Amino acid sequence: MTREELIQQIREKRSFLCVGLDPDIKKIPQCVIDDCKAELGDDEEYDDTLAIMAFNQAIIDATAPYCVAYKPNLAFYESLGSMGVAAYEETVTYLRENYPNHFIIADAKRGDIGNTSKMYARSFFEGDIQVDALTVAPYMGEDSVKPFLEYEGKWVILLALTSNKGSEDFQLTPIHTPLVGRWGPGNFMGERLFEKVLKTSKQWGTEDNMMYVVGATQGRMFEDIRDIVPHHFLLVPGVGAQGGSLEEVCKYGMNEDCGLLVNSSRGIIFASSGEDFAEVAAMKAKELQEQMAFQLENYS
């Protein structure tokens, strides 16, 4: 999906919502599991991935009118082995066949030496199971990221400033950059590590194929990020269950093209554990979409 197509979807739906498909088998409503077991034939055996697929399809069908993107987190699938990976692939296939205009992000946080990254890129951007974007860790440098940027119409989403408490351990660490020119070679300017990541990595890709992960809990830090990457899209987790403020994210992070994909996972997909789980998910997604429509009118 191109940047122009993504922006068009945001404008048409008046939404920049991304729904995280993180199907924790321990949180999937019991009614889903019971229904899957009831549908099995006498010679068929229940597997948790049956419930995952039934759950995902119900959530997707319920929330599709209110969002522009979906983000399956690979950990929730890979933890169940080969059958879990198959469930991830079936989820992507279901989206492609039924909701082709939705942006699909594989949240896999890949990143390794060049040859390995090439294989990771091939697995997500070639073949029958393709996604639009992949989250990538930037800390091994340019050669670990470049292979993902070689695919036309595909996106790299680099981790920049995340929403977890541990982000302070490294991402906010002050570093010192030598100043040249009239300041002289012996002077230094302080900047934080995430700022160095932004300034360096924006030379690798463009606004048409690179986004950044910025946690919603970072508040006014969005101003600092927009000073460096004013036009790039930002993928923003942390609204809802993690306590991030949508209004604050929009106030400091929205640009003229919106420039945001705000993700909500648990706050939508596990809003109810009863038989009404899909209806409640739709209600929560609709609530966010309405808030986003208001923000789009006020800030973009």
Side-chain angles (χ1 to χ4, degrees), residues 5 39-40 46 48 71 74-75 87 101 119 139 147 162-163 184 204 209 245 256 282 284 292:
E5 289 170 338
E39 292 175 2
L40 292 174
Y46 169 77
D48 284 337
K71 182 175 72 65
L74 269 291
N101 292 325
M119 296 302 105
Y139 290 96
T162 55
S163 58
W204 305 339
N209 66 0
S245 164
E256 66 277 6
K284 294 294 183 181
M292 290 176 176

Side-chain angles (χ1 to χ4, degrees), residues 97-249:
E97 292 178 350
N98 295 278
Y99 302 98
N101 292 325
H102 282 68
F103 192 73
I104 305 175
I105 302 166
D107 191 357
K109 301 178 180 68
R110 298 298 195 250
D112 209 321
I113 62 172
N115 285 337
T116 307
S117 283
K118 285 182 180 179
M119 296 302 105
Y120 281 138
R122 184 179 298 176
S123 66
F124 288 98
F125 293 155
E126 294 184 23
D128 296 331
I129 310 299
Q130 295 186 27
V131 295
D132 296 297
L134 177 70
T135 57
V136 175
Y139 290 96
M140 289 185 69
E142 180 178 9
D143 60 317
S144 70
V145 176
K146 278 285 191 178
F148 300 103
L149 294 166
E150 295 174 356
Y151 292 82
E152 186 175 354
K154 304 297 185 182
W155 295 74
V156 167
I157 308 180
L158 283 188
L159 303 180
L161 186 57
T162 55
S163 58
N164 61 306
K165 182 179 179 181
S167 64
E168 299 178 8
D169 293 341
F170 299 112
Q171 296 166 36
L172 296 177
T173 301
I175 59 176
H176 297 284
T177 302
L179 289 173
V180 295
R182 67 187 180 92
W183 299 103
N187 292 282
F188 293 85
M189 174 183 66
E191 65 178 353
R192 291 158 293 187
L193 182 57
F194 81 88
E195 293 172 311
K196 175 70 172 177
V197 168
L198 290 169
K199 291 175 183 178
T200 302
S201 64
K202 72 177 184 178
Q203 308 302 320
W204 305 339
T206 70
E207 298 160 9
D208 296 318
N209 66 0
M210 183 177 286
M211 303 185 190
Y212 293 96
V213 175
V214 181
T217 56
Q218 297 298 344
R220 293 198 64 167
M221 209 82 75
F222 278 85
E223 287 186 307
D224 299 332
I225 289 165
R226 280 305 187 203
D227 285 342
I228 303 170
V229 287
H231 304 299
H232 286 72
F233 263 87
L234 306 178
L235 173 63
V236 185
V239 167
Q242 295 183 51
S245 164
L246 178 64
E247 183 177 2
E248 196 168 56
V249 166

Side-chain angles (χ1 to χ4, degrees), residues 1 3 9 27 37 50 56 142 160 173 239-240 257-258:
M1 180 179 289
R3 178 186 177 90
Q9 286 298 306
K27 295 181 180 180
K37 290 180 177 178
L50 297 173
N56 278 358
E142 180 178 9
T173 301
V239 167
D257 293 322
C258 179

